[in-house]
């Protein structure tokens, strides 16, 4: 069947849904994409910052990568400091391939770049449109959509993609469980704008006994601090005078993934299918990866392989983020002492730093077979 003749609905216009729409549109499909919000996430409330090399590889064909590289900050180093003393440094530019391991760009910017490219294919998200139910024969699912004026549309599609985030209505409608665990402690974040430019090219993790504060670049004059300590703001050593505290939030971390990423012709991608801690900056990147794989499989008529091909990647990333989170959040004094002795030694081992860099780059999941030479 010609691409344009398969009707596709994407629920959710976050990074996952927008990527799915763009990857389908550039292959000749005309997906509909709906979102219950009024537009993309506000620039100052961006959750994801890290864009990894895998994502840059995947988004090169749609030219979103060029646009990201123009706006993003390249992160050249990952530094770990324990109680004020340098513990380890990882050079994040030393990875094979075209792109360095990770760049920083606020999620709101990434969403706007995806939206801009999608507009070239005349596919526009239908905002303030809520997917309420998915029912019927899941080989040809029936969906109800509540429109901005309150009216309800009922429509049948060949394919439905649930990219509707952690509380996914699509996942719930399919009766797919979301097993896993929540960490007991909360995480806190705050973004600060400075009165002058700061060095945006490194990410630093300060470890205390116990607790941590991570420092991440957002823009040339904006930094994000993320911490396990409720009073972390009083411990921040600002690199320049603060112009403005832009945003602050707190959240709990869950590690969960679905038992299956598809039922019939209904597919789950991104946070709808898996959530985990921000350690390693994987969530948005993994959702973008899901979306690219699904669009490719649909174009090949092989969407039935989606769950089998994606689930190992999801499990790999959840395991890696769980290990990193444990390393950064340990509370036992003996374990903390051992960590502080072991980390400098381990980081110097080429095999360990290579493995870490593969994870940060996103190269530890299967490489996309449709891209020549992809790592
Ligand atoms: C503090 C923090 C830092 C993070 N840092 C990083 C990072 O550096 N790198 C990284 O890769 N990831 C990071 N993440 C994770 C990342 O933010 C998420 O994984 C990513 O936003 C998931 O994108 P998504 O499109 O799957 O879901 P979402 O961004 O949640 O988008 C889902 C969309 O679906 C819409 N929607 C919901 N329900 C419906 C419905 N019923 N009908 C229609 N529309 C609906 C919503 O309005 C929303 O627009 C971080 C997360 C947090 C909390």
């Amino acid at each position: 069947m010609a691409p344009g003749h398969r009707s596709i609905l994407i629920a959710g216009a976050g990074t996952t849904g927008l990527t799915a729409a763009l990857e389908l549109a550039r292959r000749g499909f005309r997906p509909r994409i709906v979102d219950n919000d009024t537009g993309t996430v506000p620039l100052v409330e961006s959750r994801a910052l890290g864009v990894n090399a895998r994502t840059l590889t995947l988004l090169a064909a749609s030219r979103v990568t060029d646009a990201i590289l123009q706006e993003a900050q390249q992160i050249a180093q990952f530094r770990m400091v324990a109680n004020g003393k340098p513990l380890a440094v990882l050079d994040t530019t030393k990875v094979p391939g075209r792109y360095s391991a990770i760049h920083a760009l606020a999620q709101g910017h990434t969403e706007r770049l995806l939206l801009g490219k999608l507009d070239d294919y005349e596919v526009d998200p239908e905002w303030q449109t809520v997917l309420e139910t998915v029912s019927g024969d899941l080989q040809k699912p029936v969906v109800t959509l509540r429109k901005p004026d309150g009216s309800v549309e009922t429509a049948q599609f060949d394919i439905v993609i649930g990219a509707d985030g952690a509380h996914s209505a699509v996942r719930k409608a399919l009766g797919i469980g979301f097993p896993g665990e929540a960490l007991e402690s909360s995480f806190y974040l705050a973004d600060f704008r400075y009165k002058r430019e700061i060095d945006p090219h490194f990410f630093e993790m300060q470890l205390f006994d116990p607790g941590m504060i991570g420092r991440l670049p957002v823009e040339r004059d904006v930094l994000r601090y993320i911490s396990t300590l409720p009073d972390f703001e009083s411990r921040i050593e600002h690199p320049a005078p603060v112009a403005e505290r832009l945003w602050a939030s707190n959240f709990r971390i869950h590690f969960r993934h679905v038992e299956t990423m598809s039922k019939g012709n209904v597919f789950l991608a991104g946070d709808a299918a898996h959530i985990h801690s921000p350690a390693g900056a994987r969530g948005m990147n993994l959702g973008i990866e899901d979306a690219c794989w699904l669009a490719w499989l649909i174009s090949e008529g092989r969407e039935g392989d989606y769950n089998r091909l994606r689930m190992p990647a999801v499990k790999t990333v959840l395991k890696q983020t769980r290990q990193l989170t444990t390393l950064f959040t340990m509370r036992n004094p003996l374990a903390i002492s051992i960590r502080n002795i072991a980390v400098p030694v381990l980081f110097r081992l080429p095999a360990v730093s290579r493995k870490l860099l593969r994870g940060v780059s996103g190269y530890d999941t299967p490489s996309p077979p449709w891209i020549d030479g992809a790592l």
Side-chain angles (χ1 to χ4, degrees):
M1 198 188 284
H5 292 116
R6 294 182 87 187
S7 57
I8 302 179
L9 177 78
I10 302 168
T15 45
T16 304
L18 290 170
T19 303
L22 181 57
E23 287 292 288
L24 287 163
R26 76 176 182 85
R27 292 182 168 98
F29 292 87
R30 298 273 315 154
R32 270 179 78 180
I33 175 165
V34 298
D35 195 289
N36 65 5
D37 218 331
T38 50
T40 51
V41 296
L43 290 174
V44 289
E45 291 178 22
S46 292
R47 288 171 295 159
L49 291 177
V51 180
N52 67 24
R54 168 75 87 222
T55 290
L56 295 177
T57 307
L58 289 167
L59 298 182
S62 60
R63 308 196 70 90
V64 175
T65 295
D66 295 340
I68 290 177
L69 289 174
Q70 274 187 11
E71 291 194 21
Q73 313 297 329
Q74 185 196 36
I75 299 186
Q77 274 187 350
F78 169 53
R79 301 177 187 166
M80 261 168 117
V81 176
N83 298 315
K85 291 196 193 119
L87 209 61
V89 176
L90 196 64
D91 182 341
T92 41
T93 61
K94 279 195 180 149
V95 281
R98 196 158 160 211
Y99 308 107
S100 66
I102 193 146
H103 283 72
L105 185 66
Q107 186 169 339
H109 282 289
T110 306
E111 288 188 6
R112 279 160 182 76
L113 295 176
L114 289 164
L115 204 54
K117 292 291 174 197
L118 197 53
D119 190 50
D120 295 346
Y121 296 94
E122 296 176 2
V123 175
D124 297 314
E126 298 166 45
W127 299 109
Q128 293 175 283
T129 302
V130 187
L131 177 143
E132 290 192 331
T133 63
V134 184
S135 58
D137 173 5
L138 295 182
Q139 296 304 324
K140 192 95 179 153
V142 175
V143 164
T144 54
L145 300 172
R146 186 167 295 277
K147 307 287 205 72
D149 63 2
S151 62
V152 173
E153 176 191 347
T154 302
Q156 195 168 39
F157 293 90
D158 294 316
I159 288 175
V160 171
I161 300 175
D164 49 346
H167 303 287
S168 174
V170 176
R171 187 185 69 231
K172 288 175 190 160
L174 297 186
I176 295 179
F178 206 30
E181 54 164 339
L183 292 191
E184 266 175 36
S185 50
S186 285
F187 279 67
Y188 307 86
L189 74 79
D191 290 355
F192 292 90
R193 186 179 296 285
Y194 294 101
K195 289 189 174 159
R196 57 176 164 77
E197 289 195 2
I198 38 88
D199 180 355
H201 297 116
F202 68 93
F203 165 55
E204 186 174 86
M205 177 74 76
Q206 281 195 59
L207 300 167
F208 302 98
D209 296 346
M212 64 87 179
I213 302 179
R215 168 198 150 139
L216 301 93
V218 182
E219 290 174 26
R220 288 185 166 276
D221 59 349
V222 179
L223 287 176
R224 165 164 304 169
Y225 297 89
I226 187 162
S227 181
T228 49
L229 305 165
D231 67 341
F232 75 106
E233 290 195 39
S234 62
R235 301 199 193 199
I236 294 173
E237 290 167 19
H238 291 287
V242 173
E244 202 183 345
R245 182 174 178 267
L246 293 169
W247 182 51
S249 182
N250 62 67
F251 55 95
R252 285 191 70 195
I253 288 180
H254 294 249
F255 293 89
R256 298 182 187 280
H257 71 78
V258 289
E259 299 132 6
T260 174
M261 294 174 79
S262 62
K263 256 193 191 177
N265 279 324
V266 185
F267 302 88
L268 296 171
D271 277 16
H274 41 74
I275 51 171
H276 49 77
S277 104
R282 302 299 298 266
M284 177 187 77
N285 291 295
L286 191 64
I288 287 175
E289 217 179 299
D290 290 343
C292 292
W293 274 83
L294 183 54
W296 174 67
L297 288 168
I298 291 171
S299 72
E300 297 279 303
R302 288 181 51 202
E303 58 274 10
D305 290 339
Y306 175 67
N307 179 60
R308 179 178 65 78
L309 293 174
R310 288 309 294 159
M311 200 52 106
V314 170
K315 288 183 177 167
T316 297
V317 171
L318 257 88
K319 189 173 161 205
Q320 190 227 44
T321 57
R322 189 78 184 86
Q323 286 169 344
L324 280 176
T325 307
T326 304
L327 189 71
F328 298 144
T329 57
M330 49 183 54
R331 303 187 70 83
N332 179 306
L334 181 63
I336 288 172
S337 304
I338 294 171
R339 175 196 66 194
N340 293 354
I341 294 167
V343 162
V345 179
L346 289 172
F347 268 56
R348 270 187 229 112
L349 296 178
V352 174
S353 59
R354 260 201 312 274
K355 187 166 190 277
L356 280 167
L357 281 175
R358 268 174 66 75
V360 178
S361 310
Y363 290 149
D364 55 355
T365 58
S367 69
W370 65 96
I371 300 175
D372 284 343
L375 293 170

